[in-house]
Amino acid sequence: MDSTVSILANVVGATSDWVRSVFEFQFARAVIFEVNIGGHLFVEGLLLVVILFLLSQKSYKPPKRPLTKKEIDELCEEWAPEPLIPSITDEMKREPPVLESAAGPHTIVNGKDVVNFTSANYLGLLGSQELLETCTTALEKYGVGSCGPRGFYGTIDVHLDCEARIAKFLGTPDSILYSYGLSTMFSAIPAFCKKGDVVIADEGVHWGIQNGLQLSRSTIIYFKHNNMESLRNTLEKVTQENKQARKLRRYIVVEAVYQNSGKIAPLDEIIKLKEKYRFRVLLDESNSIGVLGSSGRGLTEHCKVPSDKIDIITAAMGHALATEGGFCTGNARVIDHQRLSSSGYVFSASLPPYLASATIKAIDIVEEKPELLVKLRQNIAMLTKGLSDIKGLEIVSDPLSPIIFLALKQSTGSSKGDLQVLEDVADHVLKEDGVFIVTSKRSTLDKCKLPVGIRLFISAAHSESDLVKASESLKRATASLLPAHN
């Protein structure tokens, strides 16, 4: 032990003597160009030379040689490809209830008659005898499908009649039909919004609009949900900070009635901002046609805004009109452009003729039976009042919205946790009381960040007893399952 300490002391002493000799070396105290070269500068210069020498050396590279067959086989055995789909979670394995009859105000689920609040059958036209007779007549005349896109022998006279009927109903010059409701938004948005354009969209828009925006490759900027101050600030920022903004095509994209919250867009304020900042407006009226306005003509009628103030109006026909497909309506140039540039129109088989006939009949019923609108609004008001004092939940939707949206008063801290609590409530009322409701569960592709909730779709076909049963059942369920939230 003593010898080891002695050797270490000798090494340290020798090292200190060498460092001292360097600093005392005559060259270390030289004067060059009247500058004193101290010992530390000498050491630093030496280190710099060493570093430059090392950097100038070529790095070692092992010689290249082809892999042997054995090495290739070993690598192939070790390689594991990425899975085509993500791992299946317990949440994905959950099977939704299956309907065994038409999705009217009452339906059959698991062999049990239930009150249905999951269908956007706002006017109760689903299963209407008048619509069934119209469809039967059309099926006998045209058959089931069209077997071709509109531009390739898939246009049937009833398609043209339906487009003219929609345009007349909404007071626009022209309309265009799509075969599928969501494809209307998928296709209409990219037909007009291109790469480099600026789109200001509400953060609460549904997935169909989100997908259309993504496909457009435009610059997308979201503003706070249904917040006009946020929209104004966003428009101001875009126009002031981007000097090229006035040379770009610019759009505002909103829903009339938001599917993810049940709120109604203040269209009159949006139009004022549109005109001030010189933007175009794309409005989705899927949940407002046949619902809002004195005669069911949607948000434009409800807010008393002329339809020509809106550049592009889209809507799915699978809600109040109780058919399928979608449409876009506006001026003739907007419609003609889509006939050549909208992928969902150009490449998809045209809307089955019996559905076009049913749409025409549904619009006739809306005009001929205003009492359906009156009944729908009475039902919305009644259920809203019945749920106004529910424990643990609060109504966040608009009082006139056909979608009553219930959110947790006190969040669990995560969207997944909130959704589980709400699904427990939905399962409870279905099992115990036969009330069929749905949560706002979203696809993994859906980027909406709004709080999840329970959605109740109100129909004019619901009876007073249906509404009382739903409100009382929900109150009992929340009192039992949400004691921490009460």
Side-chain angles (χ1 to χ4, degrees), residues 134-155:
T134 299
C135 289
T136 301
T137 302
L139 282 167
E140 292 173 350
K141 181 178 180 180
Y142 300 106
V144 177
S146 59
C147 298
R150 288 288 298 273
F152 297 91
Y153 314 107
T155 295

Side-chain angles (χ1 to χ4, degrees), residues 409-475:
K409 288 183 178 178
Q410 182 180 343
S411 172
T412 61
S414 71
S415 180
K416 185 176 180 180
D418 291 350
L419 187 62
Q420 184 58 58
V421 170
L422 296 168
E423 286 184 344
D424 289 344
V425 172
D427 291 341
H428 185 276
V429 297
L430 176 62
K431 181 180 179 180
E432 299 297 327
D433 301 310
V435 176
F436 190 25
I437 61 176
V438 64
T439 63
S440 61
K441 185 177 181 179
R442 302 181 185 120
S443 160
T444 53
L445 300 175
D446 195 328
K447 305 303 181 184
C448 178
K449 302 299 182 183
L450 298 184
V452 294
I454 290 175
R455 277 194 295 240
L456 292 95
F457 294 89
I458 314 305
S459 172
H462 283 130
S463 66
E464 183 176 335
S465 60
D466 292 337
L467 303 174
V468 171
K469 183 177 182 179
S471 61
E472 294 301 322
S473 176
L474 277 166
K475 287 178 180 178

Side-chain angles (χ1 to χ4, degrees), residues 27 30-37:
F27 180 73
V31 176
I32 300 176
F33 298 114
E34 300 182 355
V35 176
N36 292 322
I37 305 299

Side-chain angles (χ1 to χ4, degrees), residues 263-281:
K263 293 183 178 179
I264 297 176
L267 186 60
D268 49 347
E269 296 183 45
I270 292 172
I271 294 302
K272 291 177 182 177
L273 292 173
K274 166 213 168 179
E275 293 175 343
K276 177 180 179 181
Y277 293 98
R278 302 180 68 82
F279 273 65
R280 296 180 175 94
V281 170

Side-chain angles (χ1 to χ4, degrees), residues 273-292:
L273 292 173
K274 166 213 168 179
E275 293 175 343
K276 177 180 179 181
Y277 293 98
R278 302 180 68 82
F279 273 65
R280 296 180 175 94
V281 170
L282 191 154
L283 174 66
D284 179 39
E285 293 240 42
S286 295
N287 290 291
S288 58
I289 294 292
V291 175
L292 296 181

